[in-house]
Amino acid sequence: MSLPLLSQTPVAIQIHVVSALLALILGAGLLLGRKGTNVHRILGRIWIGVMVITAMSSFFISSLRLYFGFSPIHILSVFTLIGSFQAITAARAGRIAEHRRHVGNLYSFALLTAGAFTLLPGRLMHKLIFGEGQGQAHLVAMGLLLILVLFFQWWLRRDAAGHKA
């Protein structure tokens, strides 16, 4: 990863990248770890906070100025904010299956799927990870991330029957 390239970007992009990577790592730990513990609750609050920071910071990034300074990707940020609120509301109400679905969708779509598309040539993450070259490694990485999303969505639905609240 090219940290000097990242340090040359606007602060909003730096915040967005760092918070997204933190959410990716922390979220994986939460999804794989033991549920319902105090640690899970504390880390879950931090994860939602990081997701909100990631979504909010995107509104200050306007490299694709299509509609009044916004692009279709900003719709994902709005859905992330709504999904974060829904995940919190469901957890507080004890609707664990619903909470699990919202969190799983946030992780797989807002992080993994959106992350896969940041690997396209010309995008910052492509340059950070693969350099300026136009090789095909990004296609493999994108494909693996999208396969992971499909597997993850299957896993969420398979386990949903056992976690009805």
Side-chain angles (χ1 to χ4, degrees):
M1 182 173 276
S2 174
L3 293 179
L5 180 60
L6 182 60
S7 69
Q8 297 170 8
T9 63
V11 173
I13 292 175
Q14 294 175 26
I15 291 170
H16 188 74
V17 169
V18 170
S19 62
L21 290 174
L22 181 59
L24 191 66
I25 294 165
L26 184 58
L30 283 163
L31 290 168
L32 296 172
R34 192 162 172 231
K35 313 296 184 282
T37 65
N38 284 336
V39 171
H40 177 84
R41 288 183 187 100
I42 292 167
L43 293 178
R45 288 180 177 115
I46 293 169
W47 183 77
I48 286 288
V50 173
M51 289 296 291
V52 168
I53 290 169
T54 304
M56 295 299 290
S57 65
S58 77
F59 293 112
F60 298 95
I61 302 170
S62 56
S63 18
L64 298 172
R65 294 176 178 261
L66 298 177
Y67 308 102
F68 307 105
F70 297 104
S71 70
I73 196 70
H74 289 104
I75 294 170
L76 179 61
S77 298
V78 171
F79 283 127
T80 299
L81 295 171
I82 292 168
S84 296
F85 176 77
Q86 291 172 323
I88 293 167
T89 303
R92 286 186 176 166
R95 298 188 308 267
I96 303 307
E98 181 183 340
H99 167 75
R100 179 181 169 91
R101 187 179 73 248
H102 289 303
V103 169
N105 286 336
L106 283 170
Y107 192 82
S108 61
F109 295 120
L111 289 173
L112 295 178
T113 303
F117 287 102
T118 67
L119 300 177
L120 288 169
R123 305 288 311 269
L124 175 64
M125 291 309 292
H126 182 276
K127 292 174 188 170
L128 289 173
I129 296 171
F130 304 111
E132 296 289 336
Q134 294 296 321
Q136 302 303 314
H138 70 280
L139 294 175
V140 173
M142 288 175 70
L144 290 174
L145 280 173
L146 295 174
I147 289 169
L148 183 60
V149 168
L150 292 173
F151 172 77
F152 188 63
Q153 286 294 310
W154 167 81
W155 179 69
L156 281 172
R157 279 151 183 73
R158 179 190 61 85
D159 272 2
H163 290 87
K164 298 272 187 212

